[in-house]
Amino acid sequence: MSAGAIDYSKTKTFLIDTTKCTGCRGCQVACKQWNQLKAENTTFFTGEGYQNPPGMSEFTFTRVKFKDYQKHGQNEFAFYKEMCMHCNDPACASVCPVGAFEKTAEGPVVYHSKKCIGCRFCMVACPFGIPKYEWSKAFPLVKKCTGCYSRVKNGLDPACATACPTAITYGPRDEMIKEAEKRMSARPDRYVKVVYGKEEAGGTTVLYLTQQPLDELGFKPVTKRPLPSYTWQALRLVPGIFLTVGGTLSLITWFQHRKDRVRKEEEEQKNRKEGNQ
Ligand code: SF4
Ligand code: SF4
Ligand code: SF4
């Protein structure tokens, strides 16, 4: 289904109620297991807070952030799960010169590694800093949360949503917005009156409810305008990526050649290894 035909009110959406998150990190573990992502070396205190690992990476598609704050003279913790926001109109997709990202009719924004040429424009364009590069590889591609598309298209909920005991509700976007508004009206003392993701970046399929003001929790202020309308303008200002139509085509050709060359070298190396056995 083309992006133009998507009914955004029905796309599958995460409602993450940070006031109910216990910081158990079951979602982090479930994501690692489902996606068979390797563990990373971590330390207890990272300097930024108590979250572990210290950042999202090619091996970590979601992470529970810990934020300590003071309320009525008491120390309190807030926890919230970071992940790809699966934007309605994704900047990563709009800027990719070879169409490696796709907004699906079900909701997740998926990545087609076979198309990717490793140019990293998506990493510059994403307002949430989500796509990560495979620095550990000879020909790095991009990694990010898949929205568990293989599960969702078969009628299952994402692995992290299934594992979460308290904080994640998953369902059609219009129902998740209604549910969020219902909770805010029922408990005005418990929630700040904002659903983060309802309008940010033109709307996303990950929504957050919080008890603290968003800036105190470290949520990025993001424009409400869909970002694809100006991602190319922004990219032109990035040093080293000054793009003209001719320049873009040359870059794509260069990246494609590099990709083919590295693949060929990898195949030759594999054949040599097999020949030695
Ligand atoms: S959060 Fe970033 S990577 Fe995820 S869909 Fe939006 S623009 Fe793309
Ligand atoms: S939706 Fe799937 S890939 Fe994304 S954070 Fe959850 S478990 Fe990981
Ligand atoms: S599984 Fe749920 S409660 Fe546990 S850390 Fe993740 S979002 Fe919070």
Side-chain angles (χ1 to χ4, degrees):
M1 191 182 284
S2 74
I6 292 175
D7 178 356
Y8 294 110
S9 68
K10 295 294 166 214
T11 47
K12 287 294 190 79
T13 295
F14 291 79
L15 173 58
I16 303 178
D17 188 334
T18 64
T19 71
K20 296 182 178 212
C21 177
T22 60
C24 70
R25 297 197 286 199
C27 50
Q28 255 182 247
V29 174
C31 180
K32 287 259 181 196
Q33 279 177 337
W34 177 255
N35 293 292
Q36 300 193 339
L37 299 169
K38 76 168 197 184
E40 295 181 83
N41 283 336
T42 60
T43 52
F44 178 58
F45 185 71
T46 64
E48 187 199 357
Y50 297 100
Q51 52 267 0
N52 239 329
M56 307 251 271
S57 73
E58 62 190 285
F59 307 115
T60 300
F61 297 170
T62 189
R63 181 177 75 132
V64 178
K65 285 195 87 171
F66 287 44
K67 183 79 191 166
D68 48 342
Y69 64 100
Q70 287 255 321
K71 194 171 177 193
H72 307 310
Q74 300 282 322
N75 287 330
E76 300 275 355
F77 266 115
F79 311 108
Y80 66 95
K81 175 192 192 298
E82 280 184 302
M83 61 185 290
C84 171
M85 299 290 281
H86 298 283
C87 309
N88 290 350
D89 201 353
C92 56
S94 77
V95 87
C96 177
V98 290
F101 287 91
E102 181 196 355
K103 175 73 179 175
T104 63
E106 293 85 351
V109 173
V110 295
Y111 166 72
H112 303 290
S113 60
K114 288 211 168 103
K115 289 187 180 174
C116 178
I117 53 172
C119 68
R120 290 187 281 160
F121 292 168
C122 55
M123 292 170 66
V124 180
C126 173
F128 303 101
I130 296 299
K132 298 295 176 206
Y133 215 36
E134 289 180 303
W135 294 107
S136 56
K137 299 250 171 91
F139 180 73
L141 295 177
V142 169
K143 290 279 185 177
K144 75 162 193 77
C145 154
T146 61
C148 282
Y149 184 57
S150 61
R151 293 173 63 96
V152 172
K153 73 178 175 192
N154 287 305
L156 295 172
D157 286 356
C160 55
T162 306
C164 177
T166 49
I168 303 176
T169 316
Y170 191 72
R173 193 168 190 272
D174 55 353
E175 288 178 25
M176 294 302 100
I177 290 173
K178 259 192 219 150
E179 175 62 25
E181 285 168 351
K182 195 170 103 191
R183 289 187 204 177
M184 286 189 303
S185 312
R187 292 289 308 274
D189 56 314
R190 184 174 180 134
Y191 298 103
V192 290
K193 228 176 168 319
V194 183
V195 183
Y196 186 83
K198 186 178 168 190
E199 292 179 327
E200 279 70 17
T204 63
T205 51
V206 178
L207 306 171
Y208 289 94
L209 282 175
T210 71
Q211 190 163 29
Q212 299 76 31
L214 295 167
D215 54 340
E216 281 178 25
L217 284 182
F219 278 80
K220 288 188 181 166
V222 172
T223 173
K224 296 194 169 158
R225 192 173 140 192
L227 284 148
S229 51
Y230 45 24
T231 39
W232 277 106
Q233 292 164 24
L235 275 177
R236 262 204 298 271
L237 302 175
V238 175
I241 317 182
F242 183 82
L243 300 169
T244 61
V245 173
T248 307
L249 292 175
S250 311
L251 266 179
I252 292 172
T253 310
W254 184 86
F255 276 117
Q256 191 61 50
H257 280 155
R258 178 172 175 261
K259 180 176 174 173
D260 293 343
R261 199 186 65 230
V262 174
R263 287 244 161 92
K264 209 168 152 221
E265 279 170 12
E266 279 175 354
E267 262 166 38
E268 281 170 4
Q269 210 177 18
K270 197 171 150 219
N271 291 340
R272 270 200 302 275
K273 262 193 203 158
E274 282 171 1
N276 287 340
Q277 278 169 2

